[in-house]
């Protein structure tokens, strides 16, 4: 009988150690679990579209900075794809983000096309004092033989900060 309390106590200690270990691992893993990927690829049926973080693309003839809002598209079989892209400038709360414009793209791709990058070069809009934080989001649909999928939800690029 003297073994019973020791065994019970041993189980209790093991449970506490296991609980503390789980809590410790959870605390370490939590920031990674909460951080969403900056560039998530949207996959529908046979195609995936990834909005890439905007990049500096030089200057126009007037000296205004240009931004390339790129998307990477891949289809593993013969598909037509329609993409709607919205360009945004991020603002801190309580101000809402500024909509900079919308563009649409249509392409015909298949497994032999490989991953295709679509560029959309636009002027950098100077809407505030300091840097402009630009991003874009995309939604797409794919079609084959006259049958079209519904549009996907929105997929967001990473945010790029650019000086005016």
């Amino acid at each position: 009988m003297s073994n019973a309390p020791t065994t019970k106590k041993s189980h209790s200690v093991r449970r506490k150690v296991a609980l503390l270990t789980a809590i410790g691992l959870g605390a370490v893993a939590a920031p990674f679990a909460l951080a969403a990927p900056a560039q998530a690829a949207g996959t529908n049926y046979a195609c995936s579209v990834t909005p890439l973080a905007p990049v500096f693309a030089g200057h126009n003839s007037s000296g205004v900075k240009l931004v390339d809002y790129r998307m990477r598209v891949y289809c593993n079989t013969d598909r037509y794809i329609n993409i709607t892209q919205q360009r945004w400038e991020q603002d801190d709360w309580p101000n809402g983000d500024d909509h900079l414009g919308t563009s649409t793209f249509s392409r015909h791709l298949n497994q032999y096309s490989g991953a295709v990058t679509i560029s959309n070069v636009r002027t950098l809009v100077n809407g505030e004092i300091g840097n402009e934080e630009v991003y874009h989001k995309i939604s797409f649909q794919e079609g084959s033989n006259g049958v079209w999928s519904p549009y996907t939800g929105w997929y967001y690029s990473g945010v790029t900060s650019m000086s005016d």
Side-chain angles (χ1 to χ4, degrees), residues 48-64:
S48 63
V49 181
T50 305
L52 304 174
V55 294
F56 172 71
H59 296 86
N60 67 12
S61 59
S62 301
V64 177

Side-chain angles (χ1 to χ4, degrees), residues 44-128:
N44 209 8
Y45 296 98
C47 298
S48 63
V49 181
T50 305
L52 304 174
V55 294
F56 172 71
H59 296 86
N60 67 12
S61 59
S62 301
V64 177
K65 283 188 179 181
L66 299 172
V67 181
D68 191 355
Y69 297 90
R70 303 165 303 142
M71 300 160 276
R72 180 153 299 132
V73 183
Y74 175 77
C75 295
N76 63 22
T77 190
D78 192 51
R79 290 288 190 265
Y80 290 88
I81 189 163
N82 294 324
I83 303 168
T84 299
Q85 177 195 59
Q86 291 184 356
R87 298 175 310 282
W88 293 84
E89 196 279 324
Q90 186 180 57
D91 286 321
D92 292 330
W93 186 87
N95 300 320
D97 291 357
D98 298 320
H99 183 244
L100 304 176
T102 300
S103 300
T104 57
F105 304 88
S106 295
R107 297 290 190 276
H108 176 227
L109 299 169
N110 58 40
Q111 67 271 26
Y112 305 111
S113 303
V116 175
T117 300
I118 299 172
S119 288
N120 188 10
V121 178
R122 300 293 177 151
T123 56
L124 178 65
V125 174
N126 185 358
E128 62 191 13

Side-chain angles (χ1 to χ4, degrees), residues 7 11 34 41 48 62 66 122 135 163:
T7 305
H11 285 286
L34 296 175
S48 63
S62 301
L66 299 172
R122 300 293 177 151
Y135 68 96
S163 61

